[in-house]
């Protein structure tokens, strides 16, 4: 589609260059897009590059979060870099980049580098390497790889991993993406790299020991080494040739950068190209917003609704992007981008040497974990400074180094010392008419100076800090402190020096134990955080402040060779991870390959996904007369609605209408939500949760609709609110639901047990974080009240049913369609219906198509999460280690309505045994009713929570018995034909076999001994291991859902069209269904096509969920194919075995034989009755075992997974590539659930009761460098599945591996036990409980904060902050 731009309305009040400006400004931008010249005038300064690209039909670039945190919108902008004087191909976030900033640049999108017919090697290798599942994140990942290849023709493994630090994927587990990207590596990692067991490559350490141009020392070549680079191309792949890539347009090399200005009624944009022009603008418009990378500004505009009438883009002023080396300092321009700053720091270290360049080493270290590459490519140090973030990574370094800031204005130049730059929260000493021109960074002395920087975050890569620190001490020859500057971020509303401690240390003998103790005590005084400190985590933050200094102190001691009795050299080294690697058993299915069955093959849409051609809901081209919808959401957790005023919203140009409860045909139509119809589409007189939809604003653009929402005035009257499960239990706030499973007589059994133990286990929820948020388009038809709905739904039948209900028409008038989903994980099973139904009503009212795609923060506030769970248990066990009885109460936080909470609780109850035989068992379940969003289905659907409780009581009881938990598990495993607590016999039972195999294949026993040795030798670093099994029941627990239909057509040309009831959301369902149809009909897979899922082709479908979709839909397709095969049998006999499907179909058609068939399948045998505890609950169990090993830094709570070995019994795999992808992705999602993903609500303030963790900035899912360093996966083979009667004897694989991620949690617990044991804290044997029993009770997720708080070293004990009477934490964890 030809590039176009919608011209905004001109502002006559700001002609030419604007009022009182002498500079003449142009109003036209010129840039290249995928090699084509683009000229735009009257550019709208409020439009982002992403909005522009998608507006002109380049929809391969996706909107994932809108805040630069996920990388889905990554494009490459090639430009001349005035800092390096070279062309640089920058990966950037299109969601943040202003369209108006593109002048003189070349924008390259996913469409510009290749297509399905002629893909770029990066696109092809990620597709064929199984690096794409749902595909929504894939274009961004491909473009990050493309940027790396354009800038670095010979990348190392380290370069590859680093290139993706600004990209997230929720599906794959990252391993396959990294493997595909590594095919571009010209040579292996440096033999000094930690990946190869060395002390660290000079590149990893930030130095460049003698390397030419600041590269790895291994890249230095002698004259005899001038051999051409040999690049490996995997067999069957397109060769990558750097010389054939899109060139930087020659005309852009001659581009003259002229001052630009354009705008509309709301905003004017300036682009000066000299410092004088910038200062002129600031003198006339002192309040003008200076924009460098727009990384903060765009978030302020989009999420905080801040308005900047005058914006000035300074990215094209060469004077602000220079740097110069001086004798005693380095001066860098304020607008040098952070990527260039990394390279400048490496050059400075080489130039000045290690001792004098310590500040640059510290900056380089901080930048390695500062945001992602896309942000570092545009972010600037000046932006960092003037933003004045209290948790800035760089500002403490600048302050500790006593940098001088050079500010310039029309009045002249001013030097601002860093010590007095920050004046308060987000306030600085910079005057309004001045700009930050440069930063002077002093050198450290050759001797006596010591400078270090530290950072702790929830996630290693691309994460905002919890606490940062930079520390500088200068000692004289006698070791007396001459100068000291300890500076922290995250300990106050702004970057702050530890004033009392700095004063105390000056003049002290540094290497003296009294100095250390005095400093630690004074730091406690400097940072005496209250329990309810803003940002929370008071104890953790205080421990980090002291811990950073403790590490720094001993680092300096080791440098001056003063190891003494109070020395602690082990604390110095920080925990870092090696490059990741992994192994898959590629021969796992070789014994049963049959045609396409069992054969490894990539996702059928993978190439479309890697080229950006795969279409998602919001990629559907705009329709004529289309309206955009934006939801009006409640801001109160529980309140009466006193009044609503839409008048200001309706007065905004472009706002067309508002739809709310008053537009319903009947108030009864407002009720929805199986099974109790207790949810509401629109709030009525009261809101019961923050984020509850009240109305929807319709406008001609998404921006105007969002503006309309902000203009709606709602007056509330607050009501008491309940958030946590504990509050709900105390106040008896429950939904009407009560279930139990009872087997045997636990009460009687407890009387005869040798030991009984009690405990409480708790785990938090989890945000789905599918990369594609909920989206839908409703298209009204002119006849009979018909409506067509395109939706990102796992459940099109329910989307159809509720739309028909609210519109007052029959279901046959509504067609719900799904092409594909950009991830679902259960979050689009029911909650998507809320949006699609509201939008259908809006389309019916206006008689116009209506489109809506939720912002990430809206989606997270509205759509519900995995249920938090709480269990109170009592376990009886005998001296031989055999479990005898379990009594358990399970509670989940359902939120304000039931949704699927009952079924989730039921599955948790049925999985609370995991793999262990407990003859006397009584478990009860309740649903807590709270004022949070209604929690919903999530991969595992209660199973992981139930199994977590099982492994928690197994771990705690083993500790109390004093036996290894691995042995305790094995003693209590079910054996073949044993019955579960719900009386289902165990068949095809392979957990004990896999438990043995995993231990042997992973060398578990020897590694366990090595861990014990490591722990004995290390004080602060501890390792732990865990061996975790899983048994996951496959079937919907609601019996009627275990059915599926399919429709198969064969056309004249022999091609096959298949429709079935399942939706494709990245799990490879369509790929497996095509495989089944191809095998059944004996045709090539290329001849089989699935277009979409629609209620007009297959009716009355079940949701794509419960890991049962391949079983159900696969057999339905097989049934349809068998019908057609029976009809074609006479023609096969007549035409012979070599006849093609085209010939068979041709012959049958002329004989008037039906070449279409409806297939159907329902799962046999199942049907469980609650209460009576009879009947078969699950058709079968998918099983697995995982061994994990971790290492923790007990000083900070940082951890890394050293290795994971996963073995899954998936039966006879239909497609091992798909199954391996599901296993790795589910494991990584589980790793996130149990170690880092934490949802928090605000307790106080104007947004009290609102979800705080509403985007990638605050909510952290695992990234590329969070996966196990060694990631091995295999499938069980060499066994028979005698009782498995599924298609191909395969097992469902989507959900079961998720619990395998808990192996990392329990390995962390194991490491913490070792850390606590060093201080004499161990579980008291046979103790019945109590606060001083030494037992480690670790709540999930095991975040760095929880890990640190579980430690009992003196630093942690002295920094614990206890609440005063009535004092509560800043955040609420529900």
């Amino acid at each position: 589609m030809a590039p176009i731009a919608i011209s905004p309305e001109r502002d006559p009040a700001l002609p030419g260059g604007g009022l009182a400006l002498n500079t003449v400004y142009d109003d036209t931008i010129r840039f290249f897009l995928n090699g084509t010249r683009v000229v735009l005038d009257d550019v709208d300064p409020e439009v982002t590059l992403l909005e522009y690209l998608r507006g002109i039909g380049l929809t391969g670039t996706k909107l994932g979060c809108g805040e630069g945190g996920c990388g889905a919108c990554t494009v490459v902008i090639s430009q001349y870099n005035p800092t390096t004087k070279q062309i640089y191909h920058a990966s950037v976030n299109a969601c943040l980049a202003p369209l108006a900033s593109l002048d003189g640049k070349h924008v390259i999108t996913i469409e510009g580098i290749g297509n399905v017919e002629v893909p770029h090697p990066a696109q092809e290798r990620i597709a064929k390497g199984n690096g794409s599942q749902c595909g929504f994140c894939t274009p961004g990942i491909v473009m990050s790889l493309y940027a790396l290849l354009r800038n670095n023709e010979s990348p190392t493994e380290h370069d590859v991993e680093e290139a993706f630090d600004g990209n997230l994927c929720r599906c794959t587990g990252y391993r396959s993406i990294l493997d595909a990207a590594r095919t571009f590596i010209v040579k292996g990692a440096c033999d000094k790299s930690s990946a190869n067991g060395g002390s660290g490559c000079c590149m990893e350490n930030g130095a460049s020991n003698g390397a030419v141009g600041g590269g790895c020392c291994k890249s230095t070549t002698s004259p005899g080494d001038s051999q051409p680079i040999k690049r490996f191309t995997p067999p069957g792949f397109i060769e990558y040739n750097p010389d054939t890539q899109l060139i930087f347009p020659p005309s852009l090399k001659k581009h003259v950068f002229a001052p630009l200005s354009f705008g509309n009624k709301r905003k004017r944009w300036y682009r000066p190209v000299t410092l004088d022009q910038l200062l002129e603008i600031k003198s006339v418009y002192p309040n003008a917003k200076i924009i460098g990378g727009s990384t903060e500004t765009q978030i302020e505009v989009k999420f905080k609704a801040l308005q900047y009438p005058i914006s000035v883009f300074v990215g094209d002023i060469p004077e602000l992007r220079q740097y110069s080396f001086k004798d005693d300092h380095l001066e860098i321009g304020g607008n040098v981008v952070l990527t260039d700053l990394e390279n400048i720091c490496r050059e400075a270290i080489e130039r000045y040497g290690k001792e004098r360049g310590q500040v640059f080493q510290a900056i380089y270290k901080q930048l390695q974990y500062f945001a992602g590459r896309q942000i570092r490519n545009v972010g600037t140090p000046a932006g960092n400074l003037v933003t004045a973030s209290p948790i800035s990574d760089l500002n403490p370094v600048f302050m500790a180094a006593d940098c001088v800031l050079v500010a310039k204005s029309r009045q002249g130049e001013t030097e601002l010392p860093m010590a007095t730059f920050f004046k308060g929260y987000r306030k600085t000493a910079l005057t309004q008419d001045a700009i930050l021109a440069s930063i002077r960074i002093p050198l450290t002395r050759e001797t006596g100076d010591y400078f270090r920087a530290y950072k702790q975050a929830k996630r290693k890569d691309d994460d905002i800090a919890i606490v940062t620190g930079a520390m500088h001490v200068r000692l004289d020859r006698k070791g007396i402190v001459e100068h000291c500057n300890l500076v922290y971020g995250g300990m106050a509303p702004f970057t702050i020096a530890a004033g009392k401690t700095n004063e105390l240390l000056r003049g002290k003998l540094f290497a003296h134990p009294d100095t250390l103790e005095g400093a630690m005590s004074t730091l406690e005084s400097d940072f005496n955080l209250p329990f309810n400190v803003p940002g929370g985590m008071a104890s953790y933050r205080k421990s980090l402040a002291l811990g950073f200094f403790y590490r720094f102190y001993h680092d300096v001691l080791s440098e001056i060779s003063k190891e003494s009795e109070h020395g602690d050299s082990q604390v110095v080294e920080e925990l870092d991870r090696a490059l990741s690697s992994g192994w898959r058993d590629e021969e796992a299915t070789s014994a049963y390959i049959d045609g396409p069955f069992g054969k490894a093959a990539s996702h059928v849409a993978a190439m479309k996904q890697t080229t950006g051609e795969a279409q998602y809901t919001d990629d559907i081209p705009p329709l004529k007369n289309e309206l955009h919808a934006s939801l009006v959401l409640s801001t109160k957790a529980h309140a009466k609605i006193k009044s609503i005023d839409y008048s200001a919203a309706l007065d905004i140009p472009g706002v067309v209408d508002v739809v709310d409860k008053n537009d319903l045909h009947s108030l009864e139509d407002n009720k929805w939500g199986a099974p109790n119809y207790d949810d509401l589409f629109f709030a009525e007189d009261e809101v019961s949760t923050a984020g509850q939809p009240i109305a929807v604003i319709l406008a001609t653009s998404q921006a105007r609709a969002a503006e309309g929402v902000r203009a709606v005035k709602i007056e509330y009257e607050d009501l008491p609110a309940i958030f946590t499960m504990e509050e709900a239990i105390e106040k008896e706030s429950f939904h009407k639901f009560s279930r139990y499973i009872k087997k045997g007589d636990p009460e009687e059994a407890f009387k005869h047990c040798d030991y009984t133990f009690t405990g409480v286990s708790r785990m938090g929820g989890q945000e789905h974080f599918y990369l594609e948020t909920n989206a839908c388009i409703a298209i009204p038809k002119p006849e009979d009240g018909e409506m067509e709905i395109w939706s990102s739904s796992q459940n099109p039948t329910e989307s159809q049913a509720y739309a028909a209900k609210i519109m007052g028409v029959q279901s046959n008038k509504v067609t719900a369609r799904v092409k594909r989903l950009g991830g679902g994980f259960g979050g689009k099973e029911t909650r998507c219906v809320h949006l699609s139904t509201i939008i259908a009503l809006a389309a019916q009212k206006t008689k116009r198509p209506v489109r809506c795609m939720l912002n990430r923060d809206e989606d997270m506030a509205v759509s519900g999460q995995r249920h938090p769970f709480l269990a109170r248990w009592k376990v009886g066990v005998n001296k031989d280690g055999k479990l005898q009885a379990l009594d358990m109460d399970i509670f989940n936080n359902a939120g304000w309505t039931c949704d699927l909470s009952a079924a989730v609780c039921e599955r948790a109850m049925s999985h609370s045994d995991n793999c262990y035989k407990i003859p006397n068992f009584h478990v009860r379940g309740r649903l807590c009713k709270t004022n949070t969003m209604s929690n919903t289905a999530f991969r595992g659907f209660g199973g992981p929570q139930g199994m977590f409780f099982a492994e928690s009581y197994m771990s705690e009881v083993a500790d109390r018995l004093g036996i290894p938990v691995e042995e305790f598990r094995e003693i209590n495993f079910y054996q073949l034909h044993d019955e579960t607590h719900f009386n289902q016999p165990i068949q095809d039972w392979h957990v004990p076999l896999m438990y043995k195999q995993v231990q042997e294949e992973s060398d578990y026993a020897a590694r366990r001994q090595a861990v014990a040795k490591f722990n004995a030798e290390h004080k602060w670093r501890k390792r732990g291991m865990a061996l975790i099994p899983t048994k996951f029941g496959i079937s919907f627990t609601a019996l009627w859902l275990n059915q599926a239909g399919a429709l198969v057509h064969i056309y004249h040309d022999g091609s096959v069209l298949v429709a079935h009831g399942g939706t494709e959301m990245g799990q490879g369902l369509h790929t497996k269904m095509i495989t089944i149809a191809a095998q059944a009909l004996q045709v090539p897979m290329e001849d089989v096509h699935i277009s979409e899922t629609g209620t007009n082709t297959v009716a009355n479908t079940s949701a794509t969920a419960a890991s049962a979709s391949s079983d159900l839909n696969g057999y339905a397709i097989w049934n349809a194919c068998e019908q057609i095969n029976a009809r074609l049998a006479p023609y096969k006999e007549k035409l012979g075995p070599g006849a093609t499907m085209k010939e068979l179909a041709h012959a049958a058609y002329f004989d008037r034989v039906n070449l279409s068939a409806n297939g159907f399948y329902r799962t046999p045998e199942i049907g469980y009755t609650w209460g009576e505890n009879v009947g078969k609950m699950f058709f079968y169990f998918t099983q697995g075992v995982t061994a994990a090993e971790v290492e923790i830094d007990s000083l900070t709570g940082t951890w890394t997974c050293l290795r994971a070995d996963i073995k899954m019994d998936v039966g006879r795999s239909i497609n091992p590539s798909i199954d391996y992808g599901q296993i790795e992705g589910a494991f990584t999602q589980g790793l996130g659930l149990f170690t880092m993903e934490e949802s928090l609500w605000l307790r106080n303030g104007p947004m009290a009761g609102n979800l705080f963790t509403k985007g990638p900035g605050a909510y952290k899912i695992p990234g590329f460098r969070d996966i196990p360093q060694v990631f091995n996966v295999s499938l069980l083979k060499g066994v028979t599945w005698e009782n498995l009667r599924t298609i191909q004897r395969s097992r469902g694989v989507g959900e079961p591996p998720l619990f395998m991620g808990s192996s990392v949690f329990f390995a962390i617990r194991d490491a913490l036990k070792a850390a606590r044991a060093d201080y004499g804290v161990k579980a008291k044997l046979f103790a019945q409980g109590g606060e001083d029993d030494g037992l480690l009770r670790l709540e999930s997720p095991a975040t760095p904060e929880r890990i640190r708080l579980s430690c009992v070293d003196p630093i942690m004990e002295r920094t614990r902050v206890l609440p005063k009477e009535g004092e509560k934490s800043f955040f609420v964890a529900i």
Side-chain angles (χ1 to χ4, degrees), residues 225-243:
D225 290 337
S226 56
Q227 299 172 342
I229 291 174
K230 291 185 178 179
R231 187 174 278 102
F232 171 71
T233 301
F237 286 83
I238 300 169
E239 182 181 359
Y240 174 64
N241 183 352
D243 298 331

Side-chain angles (χ1 to χ4, degrees), residues 763 866 911 913-916 939-940 942-952 969 1027-1032 1184-1186 1206 1208 1222-1223 1225-1231 1233-1234 1293-1306 1340:
M763 66 178 289
R866 183 188 297 280
H911 284 68
D913 60 335
N914 196 10
C915 298
Y916 311 113
R939 195 178 202 166
Q945 292 98 319
M947 291 185 282
F948 174 76
F949 295 148
E951 293 305 332
S952 293
R969 291 187 181 105
L1027 187 64
I1028 301 293
T1030 189
K1031 166 183 65 66
F1032 192 90
V1185 174
T1186 295
I1206 307 169
M1208 293 296 300
Q1222 287 292 287
I1223 293 166
F1227 173 89
T1228 302
Q1229 206 169 63
L1231 180 149
L1233 166 65
F1234 291 109
V1293 71
E1295 294 172 288
L1298 184 133
F1299 184 66
M1300 299 285 77
S1302 74
S1303 60
V1304 178
F1305 173 94
F1306 288 104
S1340 175

Side-chain angles (χ1 to χ4, degrees), residues 36-65:
T36 301
R37 181 176 170 83
V38 180
V39 180
L40 300 176
D41 58 4
D42 295 350
V43 173
D44 186 342
E46 296 179 298
V47 170
T48 64
L49 173 57
L50 178 64
E51 290 166 335
Y52 170 73
L53 292 173
R54 295 185 62 80
I56 62 171
L58 295 178
T59 55
T61 307
K62 308 299 183 191
L63 173 63
C65 68

